[in-house]
Amino acid sequence: MFTEAEAEAEAVLIRPMKLDDWPEVSAIFMEGIETGQATFEAAVPEWEQFNTGRLPDHRFVAELAGQVLGWTAVSAISARPAYAGVVEHSVYVAGSARGQGVGSLLLKALAASTERHGIWTIQSSIFPENQASIRLHLAQGFKIVGRRERIARMSAGPLAGQWRDTFLLERRSSLL
């Protein structure tokens, strides 16, 4: 038997991100920036910067009835060959869709995609205050591997200038 949130998530389509999705993707990204709890970014990048900074095979959106509810994408952490199988990811869910299983569906699709392409580690840095994101990641097989104290300062918003800690989380491939 499904809960209401699980039933809603079952109707959600996870598909590759397209250029046409950018207006909705960037709006969801901006929602995350505005919370002050999702990223160090101060502004949403232009499409060209986003596009060149993320690996094309691992960008997905969650869609329901033609509306993008969330997105995920990965970036290489290093150009060094030894780290070819390690990526850093982002996952954002629209405020109106949080708590409905969208983040879980996106992370499952991301894990399947990266494993198909030989990526053995997905990592993420999450603010300790972002408990919803931490719970989401732990439920999807990520582990907290460390705390990075005062790793960077916020550059904009109500927390501008404040040093922030992050938890470093990672998901290791089951294929290892």
Side-chain angles (χ1 to χ4, degrees):
M1 173 135 190
F2 289 106
T3 65
E4 184 176 340
E6 290 168 330
E8 178 87 86
E10 286 299 310
V12 173
L13 170 67
I14 304 298
R15 62 168 176 75
M17 184 187 295
K18 305 177 298 196
L19 173 59
D20 292 348
D21 298 319
W22 184 241
E24 290 175 288
V25 167
S26 64
I28 293 167
F29 199 167
M30 190 65 207
E31 280 185 42
I33 291 170
E34 289 173 346
T35 69
Q37 300 302 327
T39 181
F40 283 107
E41 297 294 332
V44 176
E46 295 295 324
W47 166 254
E48 293 75 21
Q49 183 183 2
F50 181 92
N51 186 42
T52 58
R54 275 57 174 202
L55 301 178
D57 292 331
H58 313 290
R59 302 178 198 170
F60 298 98
V61 296
E63 179 184 296
L64 179 64
Q67 180 181 0
V68 174
L69 304 177
W71 62 272
T72 189
V74 301
S75 302
I77 63 141
S78 175
R80 295 170 56 194
Y83 294 104
V86 184
V87 295
E88 179 177 25
H89 87 289
S90 298
V91 61
Y92 287 79
V93 176
S96 62
R98 292 184 191 136
Q100 298 177 30
V102 173
S104 294
L105 293 171
L106 286 164
L107 287 181
K108 286 176 186 174
L110 183 65
S113 171
T114 55
E115 287 202 0
R116 278 193 308 274
H117 287 88
I119 293 172
W120 58 82
T121 302
I122 305 170
Q123 67 181 34
S124 186
S125 293
I126 302 174
F127 296 128
E129 299 83 2
N130 193 343
Q131 288 295 305
S133 185
I134 292 168
R135 284 190 305 273
L136 166 66
H137 284 80
L138 294 175
Q140 294 305 313
F142 284 77
K143 293 182 179 161
I144 297 173
V145 296
R147 183 179 185 123
R148 301 168 84 190
E149 296 180 359
R150 298 172 50 90
I151 189 69
R153 284 195 298 199
M154 299 298 288
S155 59
L159 301 176
Q162 289 187 19
W163 287 96
R164 299 289 301 272
D165 294 357
T166 61
F167 285 133
L168 180 61
L169 286 85
E170 69 177 28
R171 180 194 179 279
R172 302 298 301 264
S173 171
S174 61
L175 303 176
L176 288 179

